[in-house]
Amino acid sequence: MDYGGVLSAHQSDQDLALLAGVAGMEFIAFKDAYWRYRAEYDRADLAPEEYWAMVLGWPPHEAQLERLNALDLAGWSIPNEQTVQWCRQLENEFDFALLSNAPTTLARAIEKLPWMPAMRHWFFSCDLRLTKPAREVYEVVVRRLAVRPAEIIFVDDRPENIEAADA
């Protein structure tokens, strides 16, 4: 299972607007910078303070960094109730695993969310140092699960991730 957009709701424009306000940036410029460096952040190539400094264009002060991290986590922590319920209904029939592009701060928070369905395996880009849709990320998951690819049902909201997993 993917996390963002599957188990959780997508971060809303309202969430991004709150972040932009803390950053002191115009919404469109903030949103562009937020996503421009996100893959590197998700892969743990950038620490939180480095990521936010790149987004802002200057190093954030400590209180600003804490607020940006907190709002970012909050924006990604709203459950997609339909998918969560579906997983709970099937958790005795399937061994669920999570595969998510997520920075370390978000990954550690996801593991503790009380609404998360039971996951037997957790795969985060920050820990693997790989992000979807890179072929290698799916190869690592298959090896670690010790199953044939045909035995995996992969649920993701991004067609490019599904196509890469299928390949």
Side-chain angles (χ1 to χ4, degrees), residues 11-43:
Q11 194 174 45
S12 70
D13 280 347
Q14 181 180 2
D15 295 324
L16 286 171
L18 288 171
L19 284 162
V22 172
M25 295 173 67
E26 188 270 329
F27 177 77
I28 298 297
F30 175 83
K31 187 175 180 178
D32 178 59
Y34 178 91
W35 288 111
R36 184 179 316 129
Y37 307 108
R38 195 65 184 204
E40 291 89 345
Y41 186 38
D42 287 348
R43 236 184 352 260

Side-chain angles (χ1 to χ4, degrees), residues 2-151:
D2 178 40
Y3 178 75
V6 176
L7 289 169
S8 79
H10 279 285
Q11 194 174 45
S12 70
D13 280 347
Q14 181 180 2
D15 295 324
L16 286 171
L18 288 171
L19 284 162
V22 172
M25 295 173 67
E26 188 270 329
F27 177 77
I28 298 297
F30 175 83
K31 187 175 180 178
D32 178 59
Y34 178 91
W35 288 111
R36 184 179 316 129
Y37 307 108
R38 195 65 184 204
E40 291 89 345
Y41 186 38
D42 287 348
R43 236 184 352 260
D45 293 345
L46 298 172
E49 56 277 4
E50 294 171 311
Y51 168 71
W52 290 114
M54 293 180 80
V55 170
L56 301 175
W58 63 86
H61 54 79
E62 188 175 337
Q64 187 180 33
L65 177 63
E66 288 177 19
R67 186 77 175 128
L68 289 166
N69 282 326
L71 287 172
D72 196 40
L73 294 174
W76 287 112
S77 298
I78 299 166
N80 178 339
E81 295 292 348
Q82 285 185 301
T83 309
V84 170
Q85 188 68 304
W86 178 77
C87 289
R88 287 205 174 113
Q89 291 170 354
L90 297 174
E91 61 191 11
N92 292 326
E93 298 177 45
F94 293 96
D95 289 334
F96 282 97
L98 182 77
L99 173 59
S100 178
N101 286 350
T104 304
T105 52
L106 181 57
R108 301 298 78 93
I110 291 169
E111 293 169 331
K112 297 174 186 170
L113 288 171
W115 55 260
M116 278 292 291
M119 293 288 154
R120 298 206 50 197
H121 309 276
W122 301 83
F123 300 100
F124 292 104
S125 57
C126 60
D127 300 325
L128 300 174
R129 303 299 305 266
L130 298 165
T131 53
K132 297 179 287 178
R135 179 183 180 92
E136 296 83 8
V137 75
Y138 305 106
E139 291 170 345
V140 167
V141 169
V142 168
R143 274 195 313 274
R144 291 191 186 173
L145 291 177
V147 297
R148 293 176 302 126
E151 296 176 275

